[in-house]
Amino acid sequence: MSAPFGNPIDSLTVTTGAINPQAERAVIAALIRDPDGRKILDLRITPELFAMDATREAFSAIRALILDGIQPDAATLRRAINDASLIEVETSLQEHVSAANLPVYVRLLKDSLRDRQTQAARARLVKAVAAGCTPNELRPFLDSIEQAQAGMEGKRRFLEVGELCALPPTENWLMKGYLTLDSLTVLFGDPGCGKSFLAIDIACHVATGTPWRGCPVKPGKVLYIAGEGRNGLSKRFRAWFERHGEPPRNIQICTVPIALTDPAGIAALVAEIQAMPEAPALIVVDTINRNFGPGDENATADMTKAVAGLDAIRNATGAAILAAHHSGHGDKSRGRGSSVLRASVDVEYAVEKFDQTVQVRC
């Protein structure tokens, strides 16, 4: 089966180095002792930070319970995780009696993840060389190694408050006032409300760098993951470029569904994206339902896996992730399915259609 974006190199490599069991257990214990969902979101604690299968499964279950407002105790976890993960939970609580220093342990996990990513990037380079790639084709692999190594150097644990106040704003706008890089944004609404129309409009504005509704736009490469509907997409994209007098460019479209709930599939997708000559600025997933994969979007555990898939793509690429989603069956003021999604996004926009007007509200 060919890769979604047509990359001829199978660059998926799994490494087992750079594991920090103590930090993983410390984070597990801290979240059980102080189950504050805001910490998970603010510190961007995601399953990929955990290298051990048992602690990764335990964290996913703990996060799902916390975000649903359920206390993650032994009884609730016993029903959600296997024996190996339960043993890790018990070991974590024995080794770490306090919830203090969670940010420090999370930073250690992120350092370990960068180390693993560096190892994986080196392995992909070796594989590319063995496949006979040209120097130009090898450049992205070398760049990925340099980027991973750069992220590991010169990290201090503490900043003086004066240094913190002197830091520039963290918002890195892709579309001023609406989209930032390294973020997860959801557009939700009823079928036919214009979600895909709006997503295509935003994608084309980013691809061409043209202002969107008067807002400055930083030009960049766009990946549009539709999952299906090649003919309909062709008409919509052609109409946009003709209407704006721009030549079609800077967008790659995937009409093969991805499975957000499948970690192996997401890892393969991430590896393919990282091997591209130019990193994407915007990745559109249209829709979450089409690209959900195995599972039920109403189930907390399955939606948690899907969010982890979106987070993995965002963390690996630094791109703005824009996901189109259907509104709830009963409650039209929120996206459909488990509340885990709403709790995990950076921004959520409701899309409504009135006659020929599409309205967007935050």
Side-chain angles (χ1 to χ4, degrees):
M1 179 178 177
S2 62
F5 292 98
N7 180 28
I9 300 174
D10 176 12
S11 55
L12 174 61
T13 304
V14 178
T15 63
T16 57
I19 299 175
N20 192 330
Q22 182 182 14
E24 293 189 21
R25 290 170 182 151
V27 171
I28 293 295
L31 293 176
I32 292 176
R33 297 187 186 283
D34 184 16
D36 185 348
R38 290 173 300 179
K39 292 181 179 179
I40 296 177
L41 301 177
D42 292 344
L43 294 174
R44 293 190 180 278
I45 310 175
T46 60
E48 69 171 350
L49 294 179
F50 297 81
M52 300 189 298
D53 291 340
T55 50
R56 188 187 311 114
E57 182 187 22
F59 167 73
S60 296
I62 291 168
R63 181 175 74 166
L65 291 170
I66 291 174
L67 294 181
D68 271 0
I70 301 173
Q71 173 71 33
D73 54 27
T76 54
L77 287 173
R78 189 172 289 110
R79 295 192 295 267
I81 59 179
N82 60 31
D83 291 342
S85 295
L86 192 60
I87 291 173
E88 280 296 331
V89 168
E90 294 171 351
T91 303
S92 300
L93 293 173
Q94 291 171 2
E95 292 181 354
H96 301 276
V97 298
S98 168
N101 299 322
L102 176 61
V104 174
Y105 286 116
V106 171
R107 172 52 57 192
L108 291 175
L109 291 188
K110 291 181 178 179
D111 289 344
S112 295
L113 175 61
R114 279 192 292 270
D115 194 13
R116 294 196 298 275
Q117 290 173 336
T118 300
Q119 293 179 27
R122 288 171 176 160
R124 289 195 296 270
L125 175 62
V126 171
K127 198 168 186 178
V129 171
C133 291
T134 66
N136 285 339
E137 292 171 331
L138 292 176
R139 186 68 255 173
F141 296 92
L142 294 170
D143 290 343
S144 67
I145 294 174
E146 292 173 359
Q147 290 169 4
Q149 290 176 331
M152 296 172 60
E153 296 173 355
K155 293 291 183 181
R156 286 191 295 160
R157 304 296 178 198
F158 297 93
L159 284 177
E160 293 289 344
V161 66
E163 294 177 310
L164 179 64
C165 293
L167 290 175
T170 56
E171 292 91 348
N172 190 358
W173 291 110
L174 180 62
M175 182 178 291
K176 183 70 173 180
Y178 290 92
L179 283 178
T180 63
L181 293 168
D182 192 22
S183 66
L184 173 57
T185 300
V186 166
L187 298 174
F188 75 89
D190 287 337
C193 72
K195 297 186 299 293
S196 294
F197 171 83
L198 182 61
I200 288 174
D201 186 46
I202 291 173
C204 291
H205 277 279
V206 171
T208 58
T210 53
W212 187 80
R213 304 298 183 266
C215 300
V217 173
K218 182 184 296 183
K221 179 178 179 178
V222 177
L223 300 182
Y224 198 101
I225 303 172
E228 63 183 35
R230 180 176 300 178
N231 291 335
L233 283 174
S234 173
K235 294 177 182 178
R236 291 182 177 185
F237 277 107
R238 187 186 307 117
W240 191 97
F241 284 108
E242 289 178 355
R243 171 67 177 81
H244 290 81
E246 296 278 352
R249 65 186 187 277
N250 222 17
I251 302 177
Q252 285 186 264
I253 300 167
C254 172
T255 56
V256 178
I258 63 172
L260 291 170
T261 57
D262 177 19
I266 292 299
L269 175 68
V270 165
E272 182 182 347
I273 294 173
Q274 289 179 326
M276 291 178 174
E278 181 184 356
L282 173 66
I283 300 176
V284 179
V285 179
D286 183 12
T287 60
I288 289 177
N289 177 262
R290 288 180 182 174
N291 295 283
F292 195 80
D296 178 1
E297 63 184 24
N298 292 300
T300 296
D302 292 335
M303 183 60 84
T304 298
K305 292 178 183 178
V307 170
L310 291 168
D311 279 340
I313 298 170
R314 178 185 57 78
N315 288 332
T317 63
I321 309 298
L322 180 64
H325 190 42
H326 298 296
S327 57
H329 293 299
D331 185 359
K332 301 298 183 182
S333 66
R334 60 182 292 269
R336 192 172 67 187
S338 170
S339 59
V340 168
L341 177 63
R342 189 175 195 180
S344 303
V345 302
D346 295 293
V347 184
E348 185 180 57
Y349 294 111
V351 183
E352 297 175 291
K353 188 174 183 180
F354 302 96
D355 295 327
Q356 298 301 311
T357 302
V358 175
Q359 183 181 85
V360 182
R361 57 181 175 82
C362 184

